Amino acid sequence: MTNNPSGPNPGAVITSMDVAVRKPLIATVGSDSVVRIWNYEDRSIECWRAFPEETLGIAIHPSGFHVAIGFVDRVRIMNVGYKEKLHDTSLNFPQIKSCKVIRFSNGGQYVAAANGAQSNHTIQIFSTYTGESIHKSEAIRGHSHKIKSLAFCKDDSLLVSCGDDPVIYVWRVADGTRYNEISMSKISTNYAIFGNDIKSIYASGNDKMLKDINDSDFKNLDCQVVLGPLTFTNSYKMMFGGVSDRDRASGSIRCFKSPIIGNFTEH
């Protein structure tokens, strides 16, 4: 553990990260079990908190006022203070174990979490403000292996999930039923996100291809490296992909301009 948890720990590895929409904030958790909220405009720490237990995943609310943190035994929602530590709330989700994958909806009214416990590859969606499951405590079931990513569509009506099983699932948020199932032909998927509409999905996998899926029609863009996390800007004019290739000495970010045809710049 660093002696100065409010600052960076050179020995710690960042294991999960998310970016707020309405404030210039980045939330991170690391191998030192410290949650930090960074202001990327002035490169300062807004607030932080060290935990005695391992922190596995994090998501920050679009407003920047709340974070959801995954622990071995539960998911907790906490309030973000200014130049202070994170504040506890009464919102805890003990039914979600070993959670590394958490996502707030674009409107902020929902938080989706993937159960990371062995042999329990389920998803639950909760109200951000009441903590109640929106599906009467019923989990969303379909994945047979570890879930790696969750993403809401633009209007929060659908949720896309993917993982080690070669299937991308699309779920109706309102009732948790399956909207679509996309076979990936034995390819493990690292990340999947919606484009500007619900018919468009972009996915990265271990085959070094960026997949442009439109109503189950595939277009493979050869990236020659394995991509991991994907995200669009709010305008959907640019998509960023994080390079997660073990054959590369260091990570980088690829920037694709929309419409995405394979051209990119790398940073």
Side-chain angles (χ1 to χ4, degrees):
M1 180 74 66
T2 175
N3 292 325
N4 179 22
S6 65
N9 180 358
V13 175
I14 292 175
T15 55
S16 183
M17 179 175 68
D18 197 18
V19 181
V21 175
R22 302 183 189 105
K23 297 180 75 175
L25 299 179
I26 299 174
T28 63
V29 297
S31 56
D32 57 0
S33 294
V34 177
V35 173
R36 296 176 176 87
I37 310 299
W38 309 76
N39 185 311
Y40 57 77
E41 286 188 345
D42 60 19
R43 300 185 181 184
S44 66
I45 298 287
E46 289 277 324
C47 64
W48 59 273
R49 183 161 174 178
F51 292 91
E53 63 265 59
E54 185 180 10
T55 52
L56 301 174
I58 195 164
I60 189 166
H61 192 272
S63 68
F65 292 130
H66 319 285
V67 290
I69 308 167
F71 297 91
V72 171
D73 61 344
R74 66 200 186 284
V75 170
R76 298 171 63 181
I77 290 185
M78 307 189 76
N79 292 332
V80 176
Y82 179 71
K83 302 296 183 184
E84 299 175 3
K85 292 183 179 181
L86 296 173
H87 300 294
D88 289 313
T89 72
S90 61
L91 300 179
N92 291 277
F93 310 117
Q95 57 272 62
I96 302 293
K97 310 293 186 184
S98 300
C99 181
K100 296 181 179 180
V101 182
I102 321 169
R103 181 65 58 188
F104 280 103
S105 61
N106 295 302
Q109 70 274 40
Y110 306 127
V111 58
N115 209 316
Q118 191 172 9
S119 302
N120 185 6
H121 310 292
T122 58
I123 301 164
Q124 287 192 259
I125 305 176
F126 302 93
S127 165
T128 300
Y129 306 112
T130 68
E132 296 179 356
S133 171
I134 67 171
H135 302 135
K136 298 180 179 179
S137 300
E138 290 295 323
I140 296 173
R141 303 179 187 276
H143 286 280
S144 58
H145 294 78
K146 181 175 70 174
I147 299 168
K148 291 183 176 179
S149 85
L150 300 170
F152 287 88
C153 70
K154 193 174 182 179
D155 67 359
D156 294 331
S157 62
L158 297 176
L159 180 78
V160 61
S161 62
C162 70
D164 283 342
D165 39 4
V167 182
I168 294 175
Y169 291 106
V170 182
W171 312 94
R172 296 179 180 89
V173 171
D175 58 13
T177 58
R178 192 175 301 173
Y179 176 83
N180 197 6
E181 179 180 330
I182 304 165
S183 174
M184 301 302 289
S185 302
K186 300 182 180 180
I187 301 298
S188 172
T189 308
N190 295 327
Y191 221 84
I193 60 173
F194 286 99
N196 198 25
D197 60 69
I198 61 174
K199 294 182 179 180
S200 175
I201 292 174
Y202 292 87
S204 60
N206 291 333
D207 59 348
K208 301 185 178 182
M209 297 288 179
L210 175 63
K211 293 171 173 58
D212 179 352
I213 307 167
N214 200 307
D215 251 355
S216 297
D217 290 333
F218 281 73
K219 182 189 298 181
N220 285 314
L221 304 175
D222 187 1
C223 294
Q224 299 182 347
V225 295
V226 175
L227 292 180
L230 304 172
T231 188
F232 272 100
T233 58
N234 289 338
S235 64
Y236 290 89
K237 292 182 179 179
M238 184 169 288
M239 185 179 74
F240 301 102
V243 175
S244 301
D245 199 319
R246 293 181 180 179
D247 296 333
R248 296 284 291 263
S250 61
S252 58
I253 295 175
R254 289 195 173 184
C255 308
F256 302 85
K257 288 186 178 180
S258 186
I260 296 168
I261 58 175
N263 298 330
F264 64 88
T265 57
E266 187 164 334
H267 303 277

